[in-house]
Amino acid sequence: MRAAPGPEDAYLVARAQDGYLDAFELLVQRYSAAAYRVALRLSGNHHDAQDIAQEALAAAWENLDRLRDGSVFSTWLYRIVTRRALNKVTRGRAAELADLLDDVADPASGPAAQAERNLAVDAVTDALAALPFPQRAVVVLHHFEGLSYAEVAEVTHSSVPAVRSHLFRARRTLGTKLAEWR
């Protein structure tokens, strides 16, 4: 979640904490797509992802007064989305990640190339869905969202060595499961 041009997040948070709804609306516009994207990658279900993102943004509004001055809004929102997704996944909902990766058709590629790409996307989706949630979360946050180890550690309430360990195990598992696609 990278900030869009315009007022700084800290300014918008301070204004929203003072009760200015338009400031929070700008934060929602800035981060709602990223919240949905993370929720989709963690939950694997379009409808669940919409619910998670909406609930996370509502929770952010309701708890905005708890955001510390030194905290970054985007990291805080990632934390809320990740917790909500974990709750949804652990409530017995199967995490099917059919929409995990954007399935963008390349008009220059033929049907055979597109079919092979779709098979590869399905293989990655299935392999990622099979990871334990902590490993899936760090893969999504680090590789798909571009967060640093320190940012992932902050979002997941863990240490940088724990993030590295989860990433190592996830990469090893993914490498084994995806060996035929190399």
Side-chain angles (χ1 to χ4, degrees):
M1 288 187 218
R2 302 293 178 230
E8 294 289 323
D9 286 354
Y11 172 77
L12 292 174
V13 167
R15 296 283 294 171
Q17 286 173 331
D18 288 339
Y20 291 93
L21 290 174
D22 58 333
F24 190 74
E25 184 179 336
L26 286 173
L27 289 168
V28 168
Q29 289 172 3
R30 190 172 285 177
Y31 294 111
S32 62
Y36 168 78
R37 189 174 56 242
V38 170
L40 178 62
R41 289 178 174 152
L42 293 175
S43 72
N45 180 290
H46 167 70
H47 297 291
D48 287 347
Q50 286 180 321
D51 291 345
I52 291 166
Q54 188 173 16
E55 290 169 9
L57 289 165
W61 170 251
E62 291 168 3
N63 297 293
L64 199 58
D65 59 326
R66 295 182 183 175
L67 183 61
R68 297 179 306 272
D69 290 338
S71 297
V72 176
F73 181 79
S74 61
T75 303
W76 184 62
L77 184 59
Y78 270 129
R79 188 177 309 132
I80 295 169
V81 170
T82 302
R83 275 196 218 126
R84 299 255 173 188
L86 175 61
N87 290 342
K88 184 77 83 174
V89 168
T90 57
R91 272 190 245 142
R93 305 285 318 247
E96 297 189 24
L97 299 175
D99 295 323
L100 175 67
L101 301 173
D102 295 332
D103 199 4
V104 179
D106 181 4
S109 68
Q114 187 60 38
E116 185 170 338
R117 183 187 185 292
N118 290 343
L119 289 172
V121 167
D122 289 346
V124 171
T125 298
D126 292 344
L128 193 57
L131 291 175
F133 190 86
Q135 291 178 18
R136 187 180 338 153
V138 297
V139 167
V140 167
L141 293 171
H142 180 68
H143 289 293
F144 288 91
E145 294 300 316
L147 270 63
S148 68
Y149 291 151
E151 290 170 322
V152 173
E154 184 177 343
V155 168
T156 59
H157 289 291
S158 61
S159 64
V160 171
V163 168
R164 287 184 177 160
S165 176
H166 284 307
L167 278 172
F168 174 79
R169 289 183 183 130
R171 288 175 184 146
R172 185 177 57 198
T173 302
L174 291 172
T176 301
K177 290 185 181 212
L178 299 172
E180 69 182 70
W181 291 99
R182 288 185 195 174

